[in-house]
Amino acid sequence: MTRRTLIAGNWKMNTRRDSAAALAKGVVDGLSDSTDVEVVLCPPSVYLAAVEECVVGTHVALGGQNLCAEGDGAFTGEVNAAMLTDIGCGYVILGHSERRQLFGETDADVSKKLHAALAGNLIPIVCVGETQQQRETGETEQVVREQVKGSLAGLDEARAAGIVIAYEPVWAIGTGLTATPEQAEAVHAFIRKLLAEDFGEDVAGQIRLQYGGSVKPANAKELLGQENIDGALVGGASLKAEDFLQIIAAA
Ligand code: 13P
């Protein structure tokens, strides 16, 4: 089963209008025409329009960092799937550990968002991953199992193949610590086994699994070389066009 490599940049709450546009242009201009890697930029929602202007008609796709599962209405401060699609998004990151830890998102919330994303024709990138303490106490598989099963609750086989899961160990996010390729591959293989339980081997073999957590030009090749690692969700290194392009090239 060949899975097309997916490299996404999660800009988190960084950039301003000008730097967002410059970064997007830098990525678009530096991307080789012949690349078969799928590239997604996920800027802060207020800059989606500015980035969309830079990537429209190019190889580079646009993604949101979150969505509200509700339809239009009285939900002050929120942005829904229809709005993300309207502004040109093809993807949305869901259940990032920062959303889970800082904004109290639960697996049930993520599952609702997943269904809203799919109904809105967005490709969801569902994030899972254990904390340092959970790894140290040997709970990694249990935590990842709960997050995968909970976040994907109610998902049917027909739609499952099109989703993306990002394994982002919390201890590796923004810390400079990276899971070793062996550590990351072990969890990715475990996630694929979980997916096979629910959706069958064939569908599980089509679902792309990204690794995230201090992915850098220096470690990207080895991580992306693992059998079950089909891409990367990049934070800090996606804020420099040159570094992000090197990660894409490594893929
Ligand atoms: P860093 O690449 O900065 O560790 O962030 C990873 C991440 O959280 C991407 O979603």
Side-chain angles (χ1 to χ4, degrees):
M1 166 55 59
T2 53
R3 296 177 291 266
R4 190 166 172 215
T5 304
L6 177 66
I7 307 290
N10 176 8
W11 295 359
K12 308 191 179 182
M13 198 164 73
N14 294 296
T15 69
R16 291 292 181 272
R17 180 164 43 181
D18 289 351
S19 54
L23 180 53
K25 281 199 192 94
V27 172
V28 166
D29 292 346
L31 203 61
S32 142
D33 280 344
S34 61
T35 186
D36 51 8
V37 173
E38 220 168 306
V39 179
V40 185
L41 301 181
C42 304
S45 59
V46 291
Y47 301 132
L48 282 167
V51 172
E52 196 267 344
E53 279 183 26
C54 305
V55 302
V56 65
T58 74
H59 272 92
V60 178
L62 194 63
Q65 297 180 10
N66 180 31
L67 61 67
C68 172
E70 305 293 339
D72 291 5
F75 301 97
T76 302
E78 295 296 310
V79 170
N80 66 21
M83 292 169 176
L84 292 177
T85 319
D86 184 40
I87 201 69
C89 288
Y91 295 80
V92 63
I93 298 169
L94 297 179
H96 190 281
S97 66
E98 287 147 20
R99 302 245 23 119
R100 292 176 185 267
Q101 291 198 315
L102 304 172
F103 301 97
E105 274 187 23
T106 63
D107 291 329
D109 296 329
V110 179
S111 155
K112 268 180 80 178
K113 292 179 183 210
L114 172 83
H115 291 284
L118 290 169
N121 290 318
L122 291 164
I123 297 177
I125 299 177
V126 178
C127 303
V128 300
E130 81 288 359
T131 63
Q132 172 101 53
Q133 196 193 350
Q134 288 164 336
R135 176 160 282 262
E136 281 167 6
T137 51
E139 292 169 272
T140 298
E141 291 200 347
Q142 186 196 323
V143 168
V144 168
R145 170 187 289 273
E146 270 173 32
Q147 289 179 337
V148 169
K149 301 261 172 180
S151 303
L152 272 46
L155 181 64
D156 56 45
E157 232 179 82
R159 290 199 133 163
I163 73 162
V164 177
I165 296 179
Y167 169 59
E168 298 205 306
V170 177
W171 49 272
I173 295 177
T175 57
L177 294 173
T178 316
T180 64
E182 295 73 27
Q183 281 174 324
E185 170 61 18
V187 180
H188 281 235
F190 174 70
I191 293 172
R192 207 174 297 286
K193 196 186 79 181
L194 293 177
L195 296 170
E197 286 172 13
D198 287 344
F199 307 113
E201 297 274 348
D202 183 45
V203 170
Q206 294 176 56
I207 297 176
R208 289 179 294 178
L209 307 181
Q210 292 180 307
Y211 169 78
S214 300
V215 176
K216 304 270 183 281
N219 59 29
K221 196 171 177 152
E222 226 190 327
L223 286 161
L224 292 164
Q226 303 299 309
E227 189 185 336
N228 286 290
I229 301 185
D230 311 312
L233 183 54
V234 186
S238 72
L239 295 170
K240 279 193 191 154
E242 198 179 310
D243 285 1
F244 192 58
L245 287 164
Q246 279 185 43
I247 291 169
I248 296 165

